[in-house]
């Protein structure tokens, strides 16, 4: 069986990180997010994953290449966004029979083989993986009958309009002949157009409910949560590298004997952690980063090539590649610093503040 991963979106809610890296390529514990989808494909015996690209397509080819172990990777690029169903339609020439579609930003431990078996045994035209969430407003809400038959599909409803907390988990098994119903070369949506149309026409769409781990990595807060969940074992995937006391090393790193590093922490190649630094996981420190002490890093992600100066605190925040934080700074409460940005001494970046890539924040320019 083949699968399509939709990776063409711009990831606007994840800006500024997605200005430089498309969301499915953002590292999760120093592996690209899409790597986790490839792993699921591998486990389920899917032989080819087609990446439906739009935004920064060449980066996908560079990072992922044409094969990951047993899984062949191919690419179909769209010059103008075709939407989710349009993106899959664009892969039609490469699809020969029943196939799977993944949203490229979904992290899950769902049993794909069981999803496929359910699809086959019910004879559905489409089977949608469903997961239960507390607040369904940012997802596709999918009420089902007791038989599993999907009754309705309501994309991003208000709370009053949401008849259930079971939502579209962003994985579908689809019969190839359904592609004929998607118009060619124009934007078309699974969620807002195709699924409602199938239901209206009486086509059998089945929901597959699962309580497996599931997260849509759509916002900086969810991105940090993904790191937390992976490192605490909820995803049932080991962090990469060689483990020692909750620290996962991906190469050679220097950690001063006078630093305090409490795992889980993933530490990239060439990282330097100086004397009197305190790191409390879950934290991921990308390659070639340098942390001077005294300073503190807590529940944060540093993408790599970063520096953090003396007396600075980074907590619950994300530093894009090569972002530098000078001395005496507080970076906290889901602040996101874009690639190559330079934050001068004495700044306080808090409450979801985002610094665009390459921006230089002058000393003591931002305080609360
Ligand atoms: N090729 C292509 N073309 N891919 C696209 C396009 C496009 O025009 N637009 C979005 N994508 C890709 C994105 O890159 C992403 O991986 C995936 O499609 C889903 O887009 P999101 O922008 O992340 O959608 P969402 O999170 O708001 O909602 C979707 O996912 C939820 C679950 O994660 C919907 O499918 C909801 O129904 C669902 O509940
Ligand atoms: Mg999403």
């Amino acid at each position: 069986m083949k699968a399509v991963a939709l990776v063409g979106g711009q990831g606007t809610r994840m800006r500024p990180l997605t200005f430089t890296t498309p969301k499915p390529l953002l590292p999760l514990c120093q592996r690209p997010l899409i790597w986790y989808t490839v792993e699921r494909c591998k486990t389920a015996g899917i032989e080819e994953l087609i990446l439906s690209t739009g935004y920064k397509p060449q980066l996908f080819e560079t990072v992922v290449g044409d094969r990951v172990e047993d899984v062949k990777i191919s690419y179909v690029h769209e010059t103008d966004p075709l939407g989710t169903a349009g993106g899959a339609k664009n892969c039609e020439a490469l699809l020969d029979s029943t196939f799977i579609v993944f949203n490229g930003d979904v992290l899950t431990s769902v049993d794909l083989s069981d999803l496929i078996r359910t699809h086959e045994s019910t004879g559905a035209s489409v089977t949608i993986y469903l997961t239960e969430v507390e607040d369904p407003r940012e997802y596709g809400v999918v009420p089902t009958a007791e038989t599993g038959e999907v009754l309705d599909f309501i994309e991003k409803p208000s709370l009053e309009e949401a008849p259930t907390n079971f939502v579209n988990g962003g994985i579908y098994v689809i019969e190839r002949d359904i592609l004929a119903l998607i118009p060619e070369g124009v934007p078309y949506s699974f969620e807002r157009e195709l699924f409602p149309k199938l239901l209206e026409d009486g086509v059998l769409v089945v929901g597959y409910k699962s309580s497996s781990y599931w997260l849509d990595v759509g916002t900086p807060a969810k991105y940090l949560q993904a790191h937390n969940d992976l490192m605490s074992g909820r995803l049932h995937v080991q962090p990469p590298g060689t483990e020692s006391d909750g620290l996962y090393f991906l190469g050679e790193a220097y950690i001063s004997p006078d630093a305090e590093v409490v795992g889980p922490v993933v530490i990239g190649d060439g990282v330097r952690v100086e004397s009197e630094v305190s790191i409390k996981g879950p934290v991921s420190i990308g390659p070639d980063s340098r942390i001077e002490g005294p300073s503190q890093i807590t529940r944060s992600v540093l993408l790599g090539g970063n520096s953090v100066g003396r007396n600075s605190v980074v907590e619950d925040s994300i530093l894009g590649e090569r972002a530098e934080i000078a001395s005496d700074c507080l970076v906290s409460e889901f602040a996101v610093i874009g690639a190559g940005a330079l934050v001068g001494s004495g700044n306080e970046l808090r409450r979801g503040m985002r610094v665009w890539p390459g921006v230089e924040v002058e000393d003591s320019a931002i305080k609360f």
Side-chain angles (χ1 to χ4, degrees):
M1 193 179 274
K2 295 186 186 184
V4 174
L6 299 169
V7 296
Q10 300 202 4
T12 49
R13 287 168 299 166
M14 281 290 263
R15 286 176 179 169
L17 302 175
T18 46
F19 280 129
T20 41
T21 309
K23 186 165 56 174
L25 293 182
L26 283 174
L28 169 56
C29 289
Q30 304 188 30
R31 298 170 177 128
L33 199 50
I34 196 73
W35 181 90
Y36 297 87
T37 297
V38 179
E39 276 298 293
R40 302 227 66 73
C41 288
K42 207 175 83 188
T43 313
I46 289 165
E47 68 264 19
E48 181 172 347
L49 179 65
I50 305 159
L51 299 189
S52 166
T53 59
Y55 180 62
K56 296 191 184 293
Q58 62 296 338
L59 274 181
F60 284 92
E61 303 203 23
T62 309
V63 173
V64 188
D66 59 7
R67 173 166 293 280
V68 179
E69 295 169 52
D70 295 341
V71 185
K72 179 180 176 205
I73 312 287
S74 9
Y75 298 87
V76 176
H77 175 60
E78 64 202 38
T79 9
D80 291 313
L82 289 174
T84 47
K89 171 78 174 179
N90 208 26
C91 303
E92 190 167 13
L94 298 182
L95 296 166
D96 42 14
S97 59
T98 310
F99 61 99
I100 296 190
V101 171
F102 294 98
N103 281 351
D105 60 344
V106 157
L107 198 58
T108 174
S109 60
V110 71
D111 182 345
L112 279 186
S113 305
D114 198 47
L115 172 69
I116 296 165
R117 273 195 298 275
T118 302
H119 178 80
E120 286 165 352
S121 68
T122 58
S125 290
V126 176
T127 303
I128 305 176
Y129 158 45
L130 304 180
T131 186
E132 196 171 13
V133 294
E134 258 173 47
D135 183 352
R137 281 175 294 184
E138 44 192 307
Y139 306 109
V141 174
V142 187
T144 50
E146 272 190 14
T147 54
E149 191 177 333
V150 169
L151 301 173
D152 203 353
F153 194 110
I154 318 148
E155 182 68 10
K156 303 195 172 75
S158 64
L159 262 193
E160 304 78 65
E161 291 168 326
T164 166
N165 285 11
F166 278 95
V167 301
N168 170 20
I171 305 179
Y172 323 122
V173 188
I174 303 182
E175 287 304 302
R176 190 179 185 281
D177 57 8
I178 292 295
L179 287 172
L181 305 174
I182 304 174
E184 203 168 333
V186 292
Y188 203 71
S189 160
F190 276 124
E191 300 86 343
R192 297 185 192 274
E193 292 171 284
L194 185 71
F195 295 153
K197 177 181 157 51
L198 294 179
L199 297 173
E200 220 179 87
D201 294 352
V203 174
L204 181 61
V205 179
V206 163
Y208 172 87
K209 290 183 180 173
S210 160
S211 56
S212 301
Y213 177 85
W214 180 85
L215 187 72
D216 169 338
V217 189
T219 61
K222 296 265 177 70
Y223 183 59
L224 287 171
Q225 192 189 330
H227 280 83
N228 180 15
D229 292 346
L230 194 149
M231 287 191 241
S232 59
R234 255 168 251 158
L235 191 60
H236 306 291
V237 177
Q238 277 290 311
T242 313
E243 198 255 353
S244 158
D245 267 346
L247 310 190
Y248 297 84
F249 291 94
L250 283 157
E252 294 289 314
Y254 168 77
I255 297 187
S256 161
D258 302 320
E260 184 198 17
V261 185
V262 182
V265 179
V266 180
I267 300 168
D269 189 38
V271 165
R272 279 190 73 81
V273 175
E274 312 278 1
S275 167
E276 292 180 68
V277 170
S278 164
I279 300 178
K280 295 205 172 77
V283 162
S284 173
I285 303 183
D288 301 315
S289 297
R290 177 164 178 227
I291 320 295
E292 287 182 67
S295 65
Q296 285 174 43
I297 313 239
T298 311
R299 297 181 302 270
S300 291
V301 175
L302 282 62
L303 264 64
N306 302 104
S307 69
V308 175
R310 288 165 191 272
N311 298 315
S312 284
V313 173
V314 177
E315 57 186 14
D316 301 306
S317 291
I318 306 163
L319 306 188
E321 279 176 11
R322 291 167 284 99
E324 297 185 14
I325 308 297
S327 60
D328 302 291
C329 288
L330 174 63
V331 180
S332 161
E333 299 168 56
F334 306 107
V336 188
I337 316 299
L342 305 176
V343 176
S345 294
N347 281 294
E348 276 185 30
L349 307 177
R350 293 165 51 187
R351 297 187 205 153
M353 184 170 281
R354 301 181 188 202
V355 177
W356 259 213
V359 164
E360 291 184 33
V361 182
E362 283 178 30
D363 291 356
S364 304
I366 304 174
K367 294 262 185 202
F368 270 81

